[in-house]
Amino acid sequence: LKQQMTNYDLLPEDWGGDVMVCPVSAKTGQGVQELLENVLLVAEVLDLKANKKCPATGSIIEARLDKGKGPVATVLVQNGTLKVSDYVVAGTAIGKIRDMTDYSGKRVKEAFPSYAVQVQGFSEVPNAGDIMVAVKDEKLAKKVAQERADKERSEMQARSNARSLDDMFRNVDSKDTKVLTLIVKADVQGSVEAVKQSLLKLNDEMKDDNVKINIIHGAVGAINESDVMLADTANAVIIAFNVKPEPKAATLAERSGIEIKQYSIIYDAIEDITRALKGMLEPTYKEAVIGHAEVRATFKISNVGTIAGSYVTDGKVARNSKVRLMRGKDIVYEGTLCSLKREKDDAKEVAAGYECGIGLEKFNDIKVGDIVESYILERVENE
């Protein structure tokens, strides 16, 4: 290793240079204490100090979308003091710090340099690795975030060169290299990175087959209209992991012919993309939403569970159909509708404009205001 360092003009101290080298073993613990002492020594020699009195800057270590708290980020403060009520910018995400907790879960009002704190208050989930900066007001935060978003959108569109899964399947016999462009959305930042890395690994496996995956965007949260417009511009496929499209985004995707592939298991996504790249994508099932019902009352019945007194707002709700229970933008249940009653009688289906009683299989945490989405799986034959 010391020999390799010399290739980059880095000469170890024991070879007459000025670069400190600390051999350590994670297995035995050898050298760890010496490493810590040398880090402090170098910091003292180089006079590395942080200023507590300036606006805070730091790095986003991890970020996720919490169903109860909203966007939550773990921040390592590197300079200045981060305070509750500070306006901050991280990448294209802005926010006002509502709450901060330390590693033990204790609430803190200030975080000094070298502190790692979990913060709430971002308008959206920032990306891990983004630099967070505290600014003087919300107006400046929005201006900085908008400039970054415009730049990011321009870069993504410049990299756009895509085919849909069906295009990949139809053109598998072509001798030209085929490129499948993807947009990845997931519920937490860690999942975004895991899905992206797993899919990009397929490039190495497929390098002899003249096919390639190009991921132009990856972010946390539900699929929004911006994602669909980017996919339309890039002719890309949207991979959704544990998230759903917003209603307006779903309508826009359907109108624009944008393909949204939803998954809850990473291996299913990898298998589908692998089959598409190889031109062996087997017949699949496509979701067809048939109706929605709003929960207006709940009733607990012994030996049965919770029944949702609901009003069918559009389409129809069918017994034994697949259902999702939506609470705001969050999916709180996915399964089967096990009982459906119109007044006191069992019903095969209930149309829009009528009230009904709905029972969900092995699920009782139903609340007034929840939306029941009824859908069926239709078999799709690949061309």
Side-chain angles (χ1 to χ4, degrees):
L1 290 174
K2 290 179 181 178
Q3 180 62 49
Q4 292 176 28
M5 287 171 58
T6 61
N7 297 332
Y8 301 93
D9 297 324
L10 300 173
L11 195 62
E13 283 183 337
D14 51 353
W15 287 12
D18 58 359
V19 178
M20 192 175 293
V21 178
C22 303
V24 298
S25 170
K27 186 175 181 179
T28 67
Q30 177 186 340
V32 173
Q33 188 60 39
E34 290 79 0
L35 171 64
L36 296 175
E37 292 172 358
N38 287 330
V39 167
L40 294 175
L41 176 61
V42 171
E44 185 177 348
V45 171
L46 298 180
D47 195 29
L48 299 178
K49 296 180 180 179
N51 179 9
K52 292 183 179 181
K53 298 182 180 180
C54 65
T57 59
S59 296
I60 305 294
I61 299 174
E62 176 60 295
R64 60 188 172 86
L65 185 63
D66 188 279
K67 291 183 178 180
K69 301 177 182 178
V72 175
T74 302
V75 178
L76 176 63
V77 181
Q78 294 166 304
N79 203 29
T81 300
L82 184 64
K83 303 175 182 177
V84 173
S85 79
D86 278 353
Y87 289 99
V88 292
V89 182
T92 58
I94 65 171
K96 182 179 181 181
I97 304 299
R98 291 199 317 265
D99 190 35
M100 291 194 299
T101 54
D102 62 13
Y103 68 94
S104 64
K106 181 182 177 182
R107 287 187 173 182
V108 294
K109 293 184 177 180
E110 295 181 326
F112 301 109
S114 81
Y115 277 45
V117 288
Q118 190 177 81
V119 302
Q120 300 174 36
F122 280 102
S123 58
E124 59 184 90
V125 180
N127 294 322
D130 282 348
I131 300 299
M132 185 215 67
V133 180
V135 294
K136 61 180 181 179
D137 55 38
E138 186 178 12
K139 184 178 180 181
L140 179 58
K142 288 181 176 179
K143 182 179 178 181
V144 173
Q146 187 60 49
E147 289 176 354
R148 291 177 176 177
D150 292 341
K151 182 180 179 182
E152 187 178 276
R153 189 175 293 109
S154 299
E155 290 175 351
M156 287 190 294
Q157 290 176 349
R159 296 198 302 265
S160 301
N161 180 17
R163 308 266 178 93
S164 71
L165 287 179
D166 288 340
D167 291 335
M168 290 294 296
F169 179 76
R170 284 194 293 269
N171 298 324
V172 71
D173 295 327
S174 171
K175 293 182 180 179
D176 298 331
T177 298
K178 293 169 280 292
V179 180
L180 174 60
T181 300
L182 302 174
I183 293 172
V184 177
K185 296 298 292 282
D187 54 344
V188 295
Q189 186 64 35
S191 295
V192 173
E193 295 303 320
V195 173
K196 285 172 62 177
Q197 293 303 318
S198 297
L199 293 175
L200 289 174
K201 283 181 181 179
L202 296 177
N203 281 337
D204 293 332
E205 298 175 14
M206 301 291 175
K207 60 184 178 182
D208 296 328
D209 298 330
N210 293 324
V211 291
K212 182 182 177 183
I213 290 175
N214 180 28
I215 299 176
I216 60 170
H217 181 52
V220 174
I223 299 165
N224 54 40
E225 290 179 280
S226 298
D227 298 321
V228 176
M229 287 189 285
L230 176 60
D232 191 21
T233 302
N235 195 23
V237 178
I238 299 176
I239 301 297
F241 189 74
N242 282 338
V243 293
K244 278 176 56 79
E246 295 176 354
K248 290 183 179 179
T251 302
L252 180 60
E254 185 176 354
R255 187 168 64 244
S256 305
I258 302 302
E259 187 174 14
I260 299 177
K261 305 285 287 182
Q262 298 185 46
Y263 300 97
S264 58
I265 300 174
I266 191 170
Y267 301 107
D268 290 343
I270 295 170
E271 288 177 4
D272 265 11
I273 300 300
T274 302
R275 292 192 189 107
L277 293 174
K278 291 182 177 180
M280 298 187 299
L281 191 61
E282 298 175 357
T284 56
Y285 289 91
K286 181 180 179 181
E287 285 185 14
V289 177
I290 60 175
H292 297 85
E294 180 184 358
V295 178
R296 295 190 172 179
T298 59
F299 310 93
K300 292 186 178 180
I301 301 176
S302 58
N303 301 324
V304 176
T306 302
I307 298 297
S310 308
Y311 177 80
V312 182
T313 55
D314 63 84
K316 63 181 181 180
V317 175
R319 187 168 57 182
N320 295 326
S321 66
K322 296 288 185 180
V323 292
R324 288 191 189 90
L325 188 66
M326 306 292 297
R327 190 163 296 158
K329 294 182 179 180
D330 298 325
I331 303 171
V332 295
Y333 171 80
E334 239 179 322
T336 304
L337 191 153
C338 62
S339 70
L340 181 65
K341 290 184 180 291
R342 170 82 180 112
E343 296 181 350
K344 294 184 179 181
D345 300 320
D346 289 331
K348 288 186 177 180
E349 61 183 44
V350 177
Y354 291 95
E355 295 180 342
C356 59
I358 293 174
L360 303 181
E361 188 176 37
K362 297 179 181 179
F363 188 81
N364 294 310
D365 184 24
I366 306 172
K367 297 182 179 180
V368 174
D370 289 351
I371 300 297
V372 178
E373 183 179 77
S374 178
Y375 65 96
I376 58 175
L377 298 177
E378 296 178 342
R379 184 166 178 167
V380 179
E381 295 288 347
N382 291 302
E383 297 179 4

